[in-house]
Amino acid sequence: MSEQAIEVQDDGGVVRLTVNRPKALNALNSEVLAALAAVLDDLETRGDLRAVLITGAGEKAFVAGADITEMRDMNAVEARDFAGQAQATLKRLEALPVPVVALVNGFCLGGGCELALACDWAVASDNAVFGQPEVLLGVIPGFGGTQRLPRRVGPAMALDLVTTGRKIDAGEALRIGLVNRVMPQAELEDYAAELTQQLGGNGPQAVRGAKQAVHDGLDQDLDSALALETSLFALCFAGDEQREGMSAFVEKRKPNF
Ligand code: DAK
């Protein structure tokens, strides 16, 4: 197993992960999934982590899906293990306590779309193509697509995509809420740099608290979720960040978190 299958760059706690199989359009095989799991072993222990950005190597693809050549000869038991490994890894990515953002720089199909769905939000280049084309291969999505896609875009649009297998362009992905923003591919790097600055400069505990409130709150009824928000809001006043952030405002200077 080589961790090179996922390249890791760290810029002040904002970690950029690049799926690095450009010749196979960054298709997710066991090696990539194992490398991602190994990277997560490290990220999960890091108190200084501020955000994670994930993208694909090259200019053509984010991730063109699970590796079809690897899946072709699997039996049902192997398929269950493969999907189980991938689902567990994507769940760990999603559960990181910091924002995880997909920079979708091209084909984002099948397991690639499921990877993007495990991120908190996604930004796409204007040449990006999205879809869950598994039915064209005689299978259904196996990396969480049938569950996260309807939660993101609603059941009707999710059913449209997973039963037809049709591909959509970045404009439609934006309209249905699959991605937050679309920009020319040449601007994606500028956006990544802007995001690195923004997320790296905000109060790190506040950013973690905001993510926790949204994620945990969605699984609860509104009253419980509001109580959770109250607790997490109060917790902000137990550390140094709130005093620094508010003092900086009053003193007309930038906060130093
Ligand atoms: N897997 C393996 N190789 C892939 C790949 C993939 N998903 N996508 C592309 N490649 C490889 C191509 O085979 C080709 O390799 P060489 O022939 O050069 O060796 C190279 O990448 C370049 O691709 P193309 O030559 O095809 O490039 P084009 O520009 O012509 O076309 C394309 C780009 C993205 C339209 C085309 O490559 C394509 O249609 N790719 C497949 C897209 C796709 O169907 N993705 C969904 C995969 S299925 C489950 C677990 C998981 C899943 C389901 C169930 N269980 C265990 C239950 C998930 C399944 C999927 O993700």
Side-chain angles (χ1 to χ4, degrees), residues 21-25 27 60 64-69 71 74 78-80 82-83 107 109-112 114 133-134 137 139-143 167:
R21 283 189 81 205
K23 285 186 184 147
L25 303 187
K60 199 170 165 185
D67 191 300
I68 298 168
T69 48
M71 282 189 296
M74 282 181 186
E78 289 164 339
R80 186 194 58 196
F82 184 55
F107 288 111
L109 300 171
E114 292 167 301
E134 287 85 350
L137 300 165
V139 295
I140 69 167
F143 295 175
K167 298 183 178 70

Side-chain angles (χ1 to χ4, degrees), residues 192-205:
E194 190 188 314
L195 207 55
T196 300
Q197 280 232 312
Q198 259 177 5
L199 293 172
N202 292 341
Q205 295 310 322

